[in-house]
Amino acid sequence: MTRAFDHRLDRARSTAGAAGLDALLITPGAALRYLIGYDAIPLERLTCLVLPVVGPATLVVPELEAPAAVASGVGDLRVRLLPWAETDDPVALVAGLVPHARRVGLDDQMWAEKVLRLRAAMPDAEQRPAGAVLATLRMRKAPDEIDALREAGAAIDRVHARMGEWLRPGRTEAEVGRDIAEAIVAEGHARVDFVIVAAGPNSASPHHETSDRVIEMGEPVVVDIGGTTPAGYCSDSTRTYAAGEPPAEFVAAHDALVRAQEAAVRHVMPGVSAGSVDLAARDVLHAAGLGEHFIHRTGHGIGLETHEEPYIVGGNAMLLEAGMAFSVEPGFYLPGRYGARLEDIVVVTDTGAERLNNRPRDLLVL
Ligand code: ZN
Ligand code: ZN
């Protein structure tokens, strides 16, 4: 991986240079992990990778965090470690490393307090978001990243495969959710990112989490779950279940949802626009009379973050390329009544799409 990280640093430099930036300033988060493999915790004490387009990379790090940085392997990269003591001014250290920078790219998730202190310390440097620069690298996954996403997909599939152990009438969403969370870790994730168990009318709220509502016989239950694997890659998959036979009208609507998702996945290939994948799903739901109830975009990129570029949304003209990974997750939501969603992660191949989630997609009656 050492060479892979050094390669990423070089590509980040050239992409930043092409975007007119003189340096990138990257604080703890997915971008830092992508560039140097350091899964640092965002803290009030400043940790910042200073990556000039020309010149050596430096990790400005609190002295007491330096051993953790070294343990993550940063010492093996072409990155200099610059630990700062409790009485030092780390912002001045960062500014001193790029004294002539006119335009700097700041980590998209840098805390505002740090952004403002850097602005004060570097008054001549225009601040721009670094995210757009890094997204062009991060959204084209390397083979080892696709392997990591495949592992994450298989891990969350194993959790869905066990749903019958937990999901039944008489239990609350929260009870089922706790069992699922335990299984997410047991099946190979380092942490749980989210657990949505939305039963009956709650299924009409796309981002409902869990509640003390008791699941009733015949109700649809949307289960949308994800976690992060030890390698740092995220899973995210949704299936809609029913605890006992649901109303025929719901079954018919869910059939249309399966067709919509299939149409969108079939549409995926290099050279088509992200927006056209959204349209492929939307057309099918529209024809089934559910168009107005499909109230969110069709998908989002996934990698070291659950939501990243490319976004599969109407009007996005970005052309898909082999190696891009994203969710395809159409849904329909009828307020006060019911809803459903079907979500798989796919990766663009040379000729189409590979699904990284492979549980049955029909309505699963438990
Ligand atoms: Zn999801
Ligand atoms: Zn998703």
Side-chain angles (χ1 to χ4, degrees):
M1 267 320 274
T2 304
R3 281 175 57 191
F5 288 124
D6 281 330
H7 182 59
R8 286 178 190 176
L9 288 169
D10 286 341
R11 290 178 66 215
R13 276 192 179 92
S14 56
T15 310
L21 300 175
D22 299 311
L24 297 178
L25 305 180
I26 305 299
T27 43
L32 189 71
R33 191 164 190 179
Y34 177 77
L35 289 171
I36 61 172
Y38 180 27
D39 185 22
I41 305 159
L43 298 166
E44 79 289 4
R45 292 188 180 94
L46 180 69
T47 292
C48 184
L49 174 70
V50 181
L51 184 66
V53 166
V54 179
T58 306
L59 184 68
V60 174
V61 62
E63 203 166 30
L64 72 170
E65 302 293 334
V70 171
S72 78
V74 174
D76 302 331
L77 307 180
R78 293 200 302 265
V79 176
R80 189 164 60 107
L81 238 65
L82 181 52
W84 58 273
E86 292 286 58
T87 54
D88 292 339
D89 177 358
V91 172
L93 284 180
V94 168
L97 288 166
V98 281
H100 306 299
R102 302 298 301 272
R103 282 200 199 112
V104 290
L106 303 194
D107 194 298
D108 278 27
Q109 292 164 6
M110 187 185 288
W111 292 0
E113 167 263 340
K114 294 176 170 62
V115 173
L116 295 173
R117 280 166 62 201
L118 283 165
R119 176 173 290 172
M122 307 169 70
D124 297 329
E126 182 191 333
Q127 296 180 334
R128 299 254 187 103
V133 167
L134 294 175
T136 62
L137 308 182
R138 286 176 53 191
M139 70 185 168
R140 298 176 180 89
K141 267 70 181 177
D144 61 304
E145 292 186 280
I146 294 168
D147 283 344
L149 282 169
R150 214 177 264 129
E151 266 179 41
I156 209 68
D157 278 3
R158 289 194 293 273
V159 179
H160 272 296
R162 294 177 55 191
M163 206 54 62
E165 294 177 31
W166 315 304
L167 208 167
R168 54 181 171 270
R171 301 195 79 202
T172 70
E173 294 170 350
E175 285 167 348
V176 175
R178 277 193 289 275
D179 290 338
I180 291 171
E182 218 170 273
I184 287 174
V185 173
E187 296 294 349
H189 296 84
R191 67 163 190 262
V192 179
D193 290 330
F194 56 90
V195 175
I196 293 174
V197 181
N202 289 341
S203 60
S205 167
H207 279 177
H208 174 82
E209 291 188 348
T210 62
S211 75
D212 290 331
R213 188 175 192 286
V214 173
I215 297 165
E216 287 172 28
M217 199 67 179
E219 280 186 342
V221 186
V222 173
V223 178
D224 184 354
I225 51 179
T228 302
T229 64
Y233 285 80
C234 299
S235 64
D236 182 5
S237 178
T238 310
R239 290 293 182 270
T240 299
Y241 299 86
E245 203 57 47
E249 178 196 55
F250 179 82
V251 175
H254 192 275
D255 284 348
L257 181 63
V258 174
R259 283 186 276 115
Q261 202 241 18
E262 177 69 25
V265 172
R266 277 176 187 275
H267 185 79
V268 172
M269 66 172 70
V272 307
S273 73
S276 69
V277 177
D278 180 87
L279 200 60
R282 214 162 287 279
D283 279 349
V284 175
L285 286 174
H286 188 78
L290 292 163
E292 66 177 299
H293 301 296
F294 178 20
I295 56 173
H296 55 71
R297 65 191 176 207
T298 291
H300 52 82
I302 189 166
L304 290 168
E305 288 178 284
T306 309
H307 288 189
E308 56 181 51
E309 293 211 50
Y311 292 101
I312 309 303
V313 60
N316 186 355
M318 181 188 290
L319 300 182
L320 299 182
E321 295 176 34
M324 289 181 174
F326 50 83
S327 70
V328 177
E329 51 175 308
F332 60 82
Y333 310 91
L334 281 70
R337 295 175 64 195
Y338 52 63
R341 181 164 61 260
L342 175 60
E343 174 178 28
D344 291 321
I345 303 303
V346 304
V347 56
V348 184
T349 66
D350 290 334
T351 52
E354 174 193 345
R355 293 186 195 249
L356 305 188
N357 298 108
N358 292 291
R359 292 292 305 154
R361 295 178 185 88
D362 289 333
L363 182 66
L364 301 159
V365 179
L366 297 172

